[in-house]
Amino acid sequence: MASVTSLSDSVQQRLASALSATLPEAADADPLLRRSDRADFQANGILALAKKAKANPRELAAQVVSRVETGDLFKEVEVSGPGFLNITVTDEAITRNLAARTADPEGRLGVPYADAPGTTVIDYAQPNVAKEMHVGHLRSAVIGDSVVKLLEFTGETVVRRHHIGDWGTQFGMLIQYLDEHPHELDHKASEVTGEEAMSNLDRLYKAARQLFDSDEEFKTRSRRRVVDLQAGDPHTLAVWQKFVDESKIYFFSVFEKLDMDIRDADIIGESGYNDMLAETCRLLEESGVAVRSEGALCVFFDDIKGPDGNPVPLIVQKSDGGYGYAATDLSAIRDRVFNLKAHSLLYVVDARQALHFRMVFDTARRAGWLNEDVQAAQLAFGTVLGKDGKPFKTREGETVRLVDLLDEAIERASAVVREKAQDLSEEEIAERGAQVGIGAVKYADLSTSASRDYKFDLDQMVSLNGDTSVYLQYAFARIRSILRKAGEARPAAHPELELTAPERALGLHLDQFAETVAEAAREYAPHKLTAYLYQLASLYTSFYDKCPVLKAETPEQVENRLFLCEVTARTLHEGMALLGIRTPERL
């Protein structure tokens, strides 16, 4: 593995050595290094150590400085204020470090793998069978997909799970209707689009609902069908499967539009845990974690009470013998821990489900299925709001269809691409329009901390200015254009050259890519990566404005600046890929 030690890690290690040479009892002390406006880095750890050792902090700092090995890494280390250290690294160290990153044979820019990767099961993108996907499904899919990519990049084994809503009493009505009208889901052509599949399901659902509400006998037959479904009657299951298959045609068309790789084998809906439900209940009851209350199997919590002060239980099995969501979720935990051997369970689910998951995780811990070795967490996300700051709805007050939203984003982005396009064909404009439009939607979602609500504003999302994916995609395309125009000149690192202030700022930021990726993966926080990439594009713009690349003063300077362009392009491309966003070569 060709990982590259970042400049900040190298500085940290040298300071730690100087600290322990000065104060042997401070062998494991943290120099508390951070980026600084006054120098490249500032170390604040000496203040606390001096207090502990009852020493004068400025004197202690001066002793540490005298023991720091300068030379290839440190240009200047000076004591500042009450005992801070201001550190400037050499230009040579910056260029050599970036050269080592580009030489990484694995193409990972020297980003190391995590020290002790495990297995994470991530539950995301959970649409419902026979129902239209709406804007609320967007966040689970987009955030989940990026977290999967981040974790896999750091070496984690990731098992994807799409816990689709494919079970429950509403299917009795649908199955009964289809059984009585057997050709409603037949396809005229061999190829059926996602839009057609959804329209078939929608039509059937409305017809079944109307009959269910107006015909008591149909209602009775539908309710019997639920019993047959839950008992595993083969004919009823075969009809149910038609709904699942038709819905998948639609799901896959939406995920394809979102440029996401959702695999059939990873779709395990509520029905996938049916065979485990009775045993889950038996284990909870026998261990005393769950108790019978008014005929239902419940788990009670000391700290969860309703407005009336009475305890609010988690109902695992209803008094009529039916199973609730809790039984399915607890069975899924058992499967993920004992069969899939997961160390971490992550659920990318709407924040409004927070209480349910808190109760489920607490129950699983009491049952011994979750412990010190197996963690479970909900990555709770906020609501998508309209420009008016209220939950996003159509003018008629309906929930917005996800497909309509994506189509509009692609349309807006295609207009932006067409306006800027110089030598693109209509086909290329359409392809880039999709990449820019879908990228804009994903980036707007991912650049907000998941737990916060965010405003869905397409005008802002496809803007070329500001913190948008379009700004980053144009920065990448501009760099690729410069590299194409370079002719004979080739990117090459020249560590002997002095760097200007914009070159240094860009180089030091490029060096932080690895630690940003590690932090974003560790904290399940793609927004930390988007913030890094936006700053990278901004620093590149500043460098490009102030430092001529192809018209630099010497051939060596041209090569070195082309080299900085190349590292920036590769970092933007890799970072955007981890967000699930394409970077077109030409725009």
Side-chain angles (χ1 to χ4, degrees), residues 406-482:
L406 300 178
D407 286 342
E408 193 183 343
I410 291 169
E411 202 179 305
R412 296 278 192 96
S414 300
V416 172
V417 173
R418 177 172 278 107
E419 200 179 304
K420 298 276 288 183
Q422 286 154 357
D423 52 357
L424 296 180
S425 67
E426 276 303 309
E427 198 181 330
E428 287 172 318
I429 288 172
E431 184 202 19
R432 307 292 197 284
Q435 293 177 345
V436 171
I438 296 302
V441 170
K442 288 183 177 181
Y443 187 90
D445 195 318
L446 295 170
S447 58
T448 307
S449 164
S451 59
R452 290 174 50 201
D453 300 344
Y454 84 98
K455 282 187 185 173
F456 196 94
D457 180 351
L458 274 176
D459 295 328
Q460 172 54 34
M461 286 179 191
V462 298
S463 165
L464 291 165
N465 304 314
D467 190 0
T468 65
S469 69
V470 192
Y471 174 66
L472 300 181
Q473 286 168 320
Y474 270 97
F476 176 81
R478 183 203 279 169
I479 300 173
R480 298 303 303 159
S481 166
I482 293 166

Coordinates of all heavy atoms in Angstrom, one line a residue, residues 406-482:
L406 N -36.2 15.4 -10.6 CA -34.9 15.1 -11.3 C -35.0 15.6 -12.8 O -34.0 16.1 -13.3 CB -34.6 13.6 -11.2 CG -34.5 13.0 -9.8 CD1 -34.2 11.5 -9.8 CD2 -33.3 13.7 -9.0
D407 N -36.1 15.4 -13.4 CA -36.2 15.8 -14.8 C -36.1 17.3 -14.9 O -35.4 17.8 -15.8 CB -37.6 15.4 -15.4 CG -37.6 13.9 -15.7 OD1 -36.5 13.3 -15.8 OD2 -38.7 13.3 -15.8
E408 N -36.7 18.0 -13.9 CA -36.5 19.5 -14.0 C -35.1 20.0 -13.8 O -34.6 20.9 -14.4 CB -37.5 20.2 -13.0 CG -37.6 21.7 -13.2 CD -38.5 22.4 -12.2 OE1 -39.2 21.8 -11.5 OE2 -38.3 23.6 -12.2
A409 N -34.4 19.3 -12.8 CA -33.0 19.6 -12.6 C -32.2 19.4 -13.8 O -31.3 20.2 -14.2 CB -32.4 18.8 -11.4
I410 N -32.4 18.3 -14.5 CA -31.7 18.0 -15.8 C -32.0 19.0 -16.8 O -31.1 19.5 -17.6 CB -32.0 16.6 -16.3 CG1 -31.4 15.5 -15.3 CG2 -31.5 16.3 -17.7 CD1 -31.9 14.1 -15.5
E411 N -33.2 19.4 -16.9 CA -33.6 20.4 -17.9 C -32.9 21.8 -17.7 O -32.4 22.4 -18.6 CB -35.2 20.6 -17.8 CG -35.8 21.2 -19.0 CD -37.3 21.3 -18.8 OE1 -38.0 20.3 -18.5 OE2 -37.8 22.4 -18.9
R412 N -32.9 22.2 -16.4 CA -32.3 23.5 -16.0 C -30.8 23.4 -16.3 O -30.2 24.4 -16.8 CB -32.5 23.8 -14.5 CG -33.9 24.0 -14.1 CD -34.4 25.4 -14.4 NE -35.6 25.6 -13.6 CZ -35.7 26.2 -12.5 NH1 -34.6 26.6 -11.8 NH2 -36.9 26.3 -11.9
A413 N -30.2 22.3 -15.9 CA -28.7 22.1 -16.1 C -28.4 22.1 -17.6 O -27.4 22.7 -18.0 CB -28.2 20.9 -15.4
S414 N -29.2 21.5 -18.4 CA -28.9 21.4 -19.8 C -28.9 22.8 -20.4 O -28.1 23.1 -21.3 CB -30.0 20.5 -20.5 OG -29.9 19.2 -20.0
A415 N -29.8 23.7 -19.9 CA -29.9 25.1 -20.4 C -28.6 25.8 -20.1 O -28.0 26.5 -20.9 CB -31.1 25.8 -19.8
V416 N -28.0 25.5 -18.9 CA -26.8 26.2 -18.4 C -25.6 25.7 -19.3 O -24.8 26.4 -19.8 CB -26.5 25.9 -16.9 CG1 -25.1 26.3 -16.5 CG2 -27.5 26.5 -16.0
V417 N -25.6 24.3 -19.5 CA -24.5 23.7 -20.4 C -24.6 24.3 -21.8 O -23.6 24.6 -22.4 CB -24.6 22.2 -20.3 CG1 -23.6 21.6 -21.3 CG2 -24.4 21.6 -18.9
R418 N -25.8 24.3 -22.4 CA -26.0 24.8 -23.7 C -25.5 26.2 -23.9 O -24.8 26.6 -24.9 CB -27.5 24.7 -24.1 CG -27.8 25.2 -25.5 CD -29.2 25.0 -26.0 NE -29.3 23.7 -26.5 CZ -30.0 22.7 -25.9 NH1 -30.6 22.9 -24.8 NH2 -30.1 21.5 -26.5
E419 N -25.8 27.1 -22.9 CA -25.4 28.5 -22.9 C -23.9 28.6 -23.0 O -23.3 29.5 -23.6 CB -26.0 29.2 -21.7 CG -26.1 30.7 -21.8 CD -26.7 31.2 -20.5 OE1 -27.8 30.8 -20.1 OE2 -26.0 32.1 -19.9
K420 N -23.2 27.8 -22.2 CA -21.7 27.9 -22.1 C -21.0 27.0 -23.1 O -19.8 27.2 -23.4 CB -21.3 27.4 -20.7 CG -21.8 28.2 -19.5 CD -21.0 29.4 -19.2 CE -19.7 29.1 -18.6 NZ -18.9 30.3 -18.2
A421 N -21.7 26.0 -23.8 CA -21.0 25.1 -24.6 C -20.5 25.8 -25.9 O -21.1 26.6 -26.5 CB -22.0 24.0 -25.1
Q422 N -19.2 25.4 -26.2 CA -18.6 26.0 -27.4 C -18.5 25.0 -28.5 O -18.9 25.3 -29.6 CB -17.2 26.5 -27.0 CG -17.3 27.8 -26.2 CD -16.1 28.0 -25.3 OE1 -15.2 27.2 -25.3 NE2 -16.1 29.2 -24.7
D423 N -18.1 23.8 -28.2 CA -18.0 22.8 -29.2 C -18.6 21.4 -28.9 O -18.1 20.4 -29.2 CB -16.5 22.6 -29.5 CG -15.7 22.3 -28.2 OD1 -16.3 22.3 -27.2 OD2 -14.5 22.0 -28.3
L424 N -19.8 21.5 -28.2 CA -20.5 20.3 -27.8 C -21.6 20.0 -28.8 O -22.4 20.9 -29.2 CB -21.0 20.4 -26.4 CG -20.0 20.5 -25.2 CD1 -20.7 20.6 -23.9 CD2 -19.0 19.4 -25.2
S425 N -21.8 18.7 -29.1 CA -22.9 18.3 -30.0 C -24.2 18.2 -29.1 O -24.1 18.3 -27.9 CB -22.7 16.9 -30.6 OG -22.6 15.9 -29.5
E426 N -25.4 18.1 -29.7 CA -26.6 18.0 -29.0 C -26.6 16.8 -28.0 O -27.1 16.9 -26.9 CB -27.8 17.9 -29.9 CG -28.3 19.3 -30.4 CD -28.7 20.2 -29.3 OE1 -29.5 19.8 -28.4 OE2 -28.3 21.4 -29.3
E427 N -26.0 15.7 -28.6 CA -25.9 14.5 -27.7 C -25.1 14.7 -26.5 O -25.4 14.3 -25.4 CB -25.3 13.4 -28.6 CG -25.6 12.0 -28.1 CD -24.9 10.9 -29.0 OE1 -24.8 11.2 -30.2 OE2 -24.5 9.9 -28.4
E428 N -24.0 15.4 -26.7 CA -23.1 15.7 -25.6 C -23.7 16.7 -24.6 O -23.6 16.5 -23.4 CB -21.7 16.3 -26.1 CG -20.8 15.3 -26.7 CD -19.6 15.9 -27.4 OE1 -19.8 17.0 -28.1 OE2 -18.5 15.4 -27.3
I429 N -24.5 17.7 -25.1 CA -25.2 18.6 -24.2 C -26.2 17.8 -23.3 O -26.3 18.1 -22.1 CB -25.9 19.7 -25.0 CG1 -24.8 20.7 -25.6 CG2 -26.9 20.5 -24.1 CD1 -25.3 21.7 -26.5
A430 N -26.9 16.9 -23.9 CA -27.9 16.1 -23.2 C -27.2 15.3 -22.1 O -27.6 15.2 -20.9 CB -28.6 15.2 -24.1
E431 N -26.0 14.6 -22.5 CA -25.3 13.8 -21.5 C -24.8 14.6 -20.4 O -24.9 14.3 -19.2 CB -24.2 13.1 -22.2 CG -23.4 12.1 -21.3 CD -22.0 11.8 -21.9 OE1 -21.5 12.6 -22.7 OE2 -21.5 10.8 -21.4
R432 N -24.1 15.8 -20.7 CA -23.5 16.7 -19.7 C -24.7 17.3 -18.8 O -24.5 17.5 -17.6 CB -22.7 17.8 -20.3 CG -21.7 17.4 -21.2 CD -20.5 16.7 -20.6 NE -19.3 16.7 -21.5 CZ -19.2 16.0 -22.5 NH1 -20.1 15.1 -22.9 NH2 -18.1 16.0 -23.3
G433 N -25.8 17.6 -19.5 CA -26.9 18.2 -18.7 C -27.4 17.3 -17.7 O -27.7 17.7 -16.5
A434 N -27.5 15.9 -18.0 CA -27.9 15.0 -16.9 C -26.8 14.9 -15.8 O -27.2 14.9 -14.6 CB -28.0 13.6 -17.6
Q435 N -25.5 14.9 -16.2 CA -24.5 14.8 -15.2 C -24.4 16.0 -14.3 O -24.2 15.9 -13.1 CB -23.1 14.6 -15.9 CG -23.0 13.2 -16.6 CD -21.7 13.1 -17.3 OE1 -21.0 14.0 -17.5 NE2 -21.4 11.8 -17.7
V436 N -24.7 17.2 -14.9 CA -24.6 18.4 -14.1 C -25.9 18.6 -13.3 O -25.9 18.9 -12.1 CB -24.5 19.7 -15.1 CG1 -24.7 21.0 -14.3 CG2 -23.1 19.6 -15.7
G437 N -27.1 18.2 -13.8 CA -28.3 18.3 -13.1 C -28.4 17.4 -11.9 O -28.8 17.8 -10.8
I438 N -28.1 16.1 -12.1 CA -28.1 15.2 -11.0 C -27.0 15.5 -10.0 O -27.2 15.4 -8.8 CB -28.0 13.7 -11.6 CG1 -29.1 13.4 -12.5 CG2 -27.8 12.7 -10.4 CD1 -30.5 13.4 -11.8
G439 N -25.9 15.9 -10.5 CA -24.8 16.4 -9.6 C -25.2 17.5 -8.7 O -24.9 17.6 -7.5
A440 N -26.0 18.4 -9.3 CA -26.4 19.6 -8.6 C -27.4 19.2 -7.4 O -27.3 19.7 -6.3 CB -27.2 20.6 -9.5
V441 N -28.3 18.3 -7.7 CA -29.2 17.8 -6.7 C -28.5 17.1 -5.6 O -28.7 17.3 -4.4 CB -30.3 16.9 -7.3 CG1 -31.2 16.2 -6.3 CG2 -31.2 17.7 -8.3
K442 N -27.6 16.2 -5.9 CA -26.8 15.5 -4.9 C -26.0 16.4 -4.1 O -26.0 16.3 -2.8 CB -25.9 14.4 -5.6 CG -26.7 13.2 -6.2 CD -25.6 12.3 -6.8 CE -26.3 11.0 -7.3 NZ -25.4 10.0 -7.8
Y443 N -25.3 17.3 -4.7 CA -24.4 18.2 -4.0 C -25.2 19.1 -3.0 O -24.7 19.3 -1.8 CB -23.6 19.1 -5.0 CG -22.5 19.9 -4.3 CD1 -21.2 19.4 -4.1 CD2 -22.7 21.2 -3.8 CE1 -20.2 20.1 -3.5 CE2 -21.7 21.9 -3.2 CZ -20.5 21.4 -3.1 OH -19.5 22.1 -2.5
A444 N -26.3 19.6 -3.4 CA -27.1 20.5 -2.5 C -27.5 19.7 -1.3 O -27.5 20.2 -0.2 CB -28.3 21.0 -3.3
D445 N -27.8 18.4 -1.5 CA -28.2 17.6 -0.3 C -27.0 17.3 0.6 O -27.1 17.5 1.8 CB -28.8 16.3 -0.9 CG -29.5 15.5 0.1 OD1 -29.1 15.4 1.3 OD2 -30.6 14.9 -0.2
L446 N -25.9 16.9 -0.1 CA -24.7 16.5 0.7 C -24.0 17.6 1.3 O -23.2 17.4 2.3 CB -23.8 15.7 -0.2 CG -24.4 14.3 -0.7 CD1 -23.5 13.7 -1.8 CD2 -24.6 13.3 0.4
S447 N -24.1 18.8 0.8 CA -23.3 19.9 1.4 C -24.0 20.5 2.6 O -23.4 21.3 3.3 CB -23.2 21.1 0.3 OG -24.4 21.5 -0.1
T448 N -25.2 20.0 3.0 CA -25.8 20.4 4.3 C -25.6 19.2 5.2 O -25.7 18.1 4.8 CB -27.3 20.5 4.1 OG1 -27.6 21.4 3.0 CG2 -28.0 21.0 5.3
S449 N -25.3 19.5 6.5 CA -25.2 18.4 7.5 C -26.5 17.6 7.4 O -27.5 18.2 7.4 CB -24.9 19.1 8.8 OG -25.2 18.1 9.8
A450 N -26.4 16.3 7.4 CA -27.5 15.4 7.2 C -28.7 15.8 8.1 O -29.8 15.7 7.8 CB -27.2 14.0 7.3
S451 N -28.3 16.1 9.4 CA -29.4 16.3 10.4 C -30.2 17.5 10.2 O -31.3 17.7 10.8 CB -28.8 16.3 11.8 OG -27.8 17.3 11.9
R452 N -29.7 18.5 9.4 CA -30.4 19.7 9.2 C -31.4 19.6 8.0 O -31.2 18.9 7.1 CB -29.4 20.9 8.9 CG -28.6 21.2 10.2 CD -27.5 22.2 9.9 NE -28.0 23.4 9.2 CZ -27.3 24.2 8.5 NH1 -26.0 24.0 8.4 NH2 -27.8 25.2 7.8
D453 N -32.4 20.4 8.1 CA -33.3 20.6 6.9 C -32.6 21.4 5.8 O -31.7 22.1 6.2 CB -34.6 21.4 7.3 CG -35.4 20.7 8.4 OD1 -35.1 19.5 8.7 OD2 -36.2 21.3 9.0
Y454 N -33.0 21.2 4.6 CA -32.4 22.1 3.6 C -33.4 22.5 2.5 O -34.4 21.8 2.3 CB -31.1 21.5 2.9 CG -31.4 20.6 1.8 CD1 -31.3 21.0 0.4 CD2 -31.7 19.2 2.0 CE1 -31.5 20.1 -0.6 CE2 -31.9 18.3 0.9 CZ -31.8 18.8 -0.4 OH -32.1 18.0 -1.4
K455 N -33.1 23.7 1.9 CA -34.1 24.3 1.0 C -33.7 23.7 -0.4 O -32.6 23.8 -0.9 CB -34.0 25.8 1.0 CG -34.7 26.4 2.1 CD -34.8 27.9 2.0 CE -35.4 28.5 3.3 NZ -35.4 29.9 3.3
F456 N -34.8 23.3 -1.1 CA -34.6 22.8 -2.5 C -34.8 23.9 -3.4 O -36.0 24.3 -3.7 CB -35.5 21.6 -2.7 CG -35.1 20.8 -3.9 CD1 -34.4 19.7 -3.8 CD2 -35.5 21.2 -5.2 CE1 -34.0 18.9 -4.9 CE2 -35.1 20.5 -6.3 CZ -34.4 19.3 -6.2
D457 N -33.8 24.5 -3.9 CA -33.9 25.7 -4.8 C -33.1 25.4 -6.0 O -31.8 25.6 -6.1 CB -33.3 26.9 -4.0 CG -33.4 28.2 -4.8 OD1 -33.7 28.1 -6.0 OD2 -33.1 29.3 -4.2
L458 N -33.7 25.0 -7.1 CA -33.0 24.6 -8.3 C -32.2 25.8 -8.9 O -31.2 25.6 -9.5 CB -34.0 24.1 -9.4 CG -34.3 22.6 -9.3 CD1 -35.4 22.2 -10.3 CD2 -33.1 21.7 -9.4
D459 N -32.8 27.0 -8.8 CA -32.0 28.2 -9.4 C -30.6 28.3 -8.7 O -29.6 28.5 -9.4 CB -32.8 29.5 -9.1 CG -34.1 29.5 -9.8 OD1 -34.2 29.0 -10.9 OD2 -35.1 30.1 -9.3
Q460 N -30.6 28.1 -7.4 CA -29.4 28.2 -6.7 C -28.5 26.9 -7.0 O -27.3 27.1 -7.2 CB -29.7 28.2 -5.2 CG -28.5 28.1 -4.3 CD -27.4 29.1 -4.6 OE1 -27.6 30.2 -5.0 NE2 -26.1 28.7 -4.4
M461 N -29.1 25.8 -7.1 CA -28.3 24.5 -7.3 C -27.6 24.5 -8.6 O -26.5 23.9 -8.7 CB -29.3 23.3 -7.3 CG -29.8 23.0 -6.0 SD -30.9 21.6 -6.1 CE -31.6 21.5 -4.5
V462 N -28.2 25.1 -9.7 CA -27.5 25.0 -11.0 C -26.7 26.3 -11.3 O -26.3 26.5 -12.4 CB -28.4 24.7 -12.2 CG1 -29.0 23.3 -12.0 CG2 -29.5 25.7 -12.4
S463 N -26.5 27.1 -10.3 CA -25.7 28.4 -10.5 C -24.3 28.1 -10.6 O -23.7 27.2 -10.0 CB -26.0 29.3 -9.2 OG -25.0 30.3 -9.2
L464 N -23.6 28.9 -11.5 CA -22.2 28.7 -11.7 C -21.4 29.4 -10.6 O -20.2 29.2 -10.6 CB -21.8 29.3 -13.1 CG -22.3 28.6 -14.3 CD1 -22.2 29.5 -15.5 CD2 -21.6 27.3 -14.5
N465 N -22.0 30.2 -9.8 CA -21.3 30.9 -8.7 C -21.7 30.3 -7.4 O -22.9 29.9 -7.2 CB -21.6 32.4 -8.8 CG -21.3 33.0 -10.1 OD1 -20.3 32.7 -10.7 ND2 -22.2 33.7 -10.7
G466 N -20.8 30.3 -6.5 CA -21.2 29.9 -5.1 C -20.9 28.4 -4.9 O -20.3 27.7 -5.7
D467 N -21.4 27.9 -3.8 CA -21.1 26.6 -3.3 C -22.0 25.6 -4.0 O -23.0 25.1 -3.4 CB -21.2 26.5 -1.8 CG -20.7 25.3 -1.2 OD1 -20.2 24.4 -1.9 OD2 -20.8 25.1 0.1
T468 N -21.7 25.3 -5.3 CA -22.6 24.3 -6.0 C -21.7 23.3 -6.7 O -20.5 23.6 -7.0 CB -23.4 25.1 -7.1 OG1 -22.5 25.6 -8.1 CG2 -24.2 26.2 -6.5
S469 N -22.2 22.2 -7.1 CA -21.4 21.2 -7.8 C -21.1 21.7 -9.2 O -20.1 21.4 -9.8 CB -22.2 19.9 -7.9 OG -23.3 20.0 -8.8
V470 N -21.9 22.6 -9.8 CA -21.7 23.1 -11.1 C -20.3 23.9 -11.1 O -19.5 23.8 -12.0 CB -22.8 24.0 -11.6 CG1 -22.7 24.3 -13.1 CG2 -24.2 23.4 -11.3
Y471 N -20.1 24.7 -10.0 CA -18.9 25.5 -9.9 C -17.7 24.5 -9.8 O -16.7 24.8 -10.5 CB -19.0 26.3 -8.6 CG -17.7 27.0 -8.2 CD1 -17.3 28.1 -9.0 CD2 -17.0 26.7 -7.0 CE1 -16.1 28.8 -8.6 CE2 -15.9 27.4 -6.7 CZ -15.4 28.4 -7.5 OH -14.3 29.1 -7.1
L472 N -17.8 23.4 -9.1 CA -16.7 22.4 -9.0 C -16.5 21.7 -10.4 O -15.4 21.5 -10.8 CB -17.0 21.4 -7.9 CG -17.2 21.9 -6.5 CD1 -17.5 20.8 -5.5 CD2 -16.0 22.7 -6.0
Q473 N -17.6 21.4 -11.0 CA -17.5 20.7 -12.3 C -16.8 21.6 -13.4 O -16.0 21.1 -14.2 CB -18.9 20.2 -12.8 CG -19.4 19.0 -12.0 CD -20.9 18.7 -12.3 OE1 -21.7 19.6 -12.4 NE2 -21.2 17.4 -12.4
Y474 N -17.2 22.9 -13.4 CA -16.6 23.8 -14.3 C -15.1 24.0 -14.0 O -14.2 24.2 -14.9 CB -17.3 25.1 -14.4 CG -18.4 25.1 -15.5 CD1 -19.7 24.8 -15.1 CD2 -18.1 25.3 -16.8 CE1 -20.7 24.7 -16.1 CE2 -19.0 25.2 -17.8 CZ -20.3 24.9 -17.5 OH -21.3 24.8 -18.4
A475 N -14.7 24.0 -12.7 CA -13.3 24.2 -12.3 C -12.5 23.0 -12.8 O -11.5 23.1 -13.4 CB -13.2 24.2 -10.8
F476 N -13.1 21.8 -12.7 CA -12.4 20.6 -13.2 C -12.3 20.6 -14.7 O -11.2 20.4 -15.2 CB -13.2 19.3 -12.8 CG -12.7 18.0 -13.4 CD1 -11.6 17.4 -12.7 CD2 -13.2 17.5 -14.5 CE1 -11.1 16.2 -13.3 CE2 -12.7 16.3 -15.1 CZ -11.6 15.7 -14.4
A477 N -13.4 21.0 -15.4 CA -13.3 21.0 -16.9 C -12.3 22.1 -17.4 O -11.6 21.9 -18.4 CB -14.7 21.3 -17.4
R478 N -12.2 23.2 -16.6 CA -11.3 24.2 -17.0 C -9.8 23.7 -16.9 O -9.0 23.9 -17.7 CB -11.4 25.4 -16.1 CG -10.5 26.6 -16.5 CD -10.3 27.5 -15.3 NE -11.4 28.4 -15.1 CZ -11.6 29.2 -14.0 NH1 -10.7 29.1 -13.0 NH2 -12.6 30.0 -13.9
I479 N -9.6 23.0 -15.8 CA -8.2 22.4 -15.6 C -7.9 21.4 -16.7 O -6.8 21.4 -17.3 CB -8.1 21.7 -14.2 CG1 -8.3 22.7 -13.1 CG2 -6.6 21.1 -14.1 CD1 -8.4 22.0 -11.7
R480 N -8.8 20.6 -17.1 CA -8.6 19.6 -18.1 C -8.3 20.3 -19.5 O -7.5 19.9 -20.2 CB -9.8 18.6 -18.3 CG -10.2 17.8 -17.1 CD -9.0 16.9 -16.6 NE -8.5 16.0 -17.6 CZ -7.4 15.4 -17.6 NH1 -6.5 15.7 -16.6 NH2 -7.0 14.6 -18.5
S481 N -9.0 21.4 -19.7 CA -8.8 22.2 -20.9 C -7.4 22.8 -20.9 O -6.7 22.7 -22.0 CB -9.8 23.3 -20.9 OG -9.5 24.3 -21.9
I482 N -6.9 23.3 -19.8 CA -5.5 23.8 -19.7 C -4.5 22.7 -20.0 O -3.5 22.9 -20.8 CB -5.2 24.4 -18.3 CG1 -6.1 25.7 -18.1 CG2 -3.7 24.7 -18.2 CD1 -6.1 26.1 -16.7

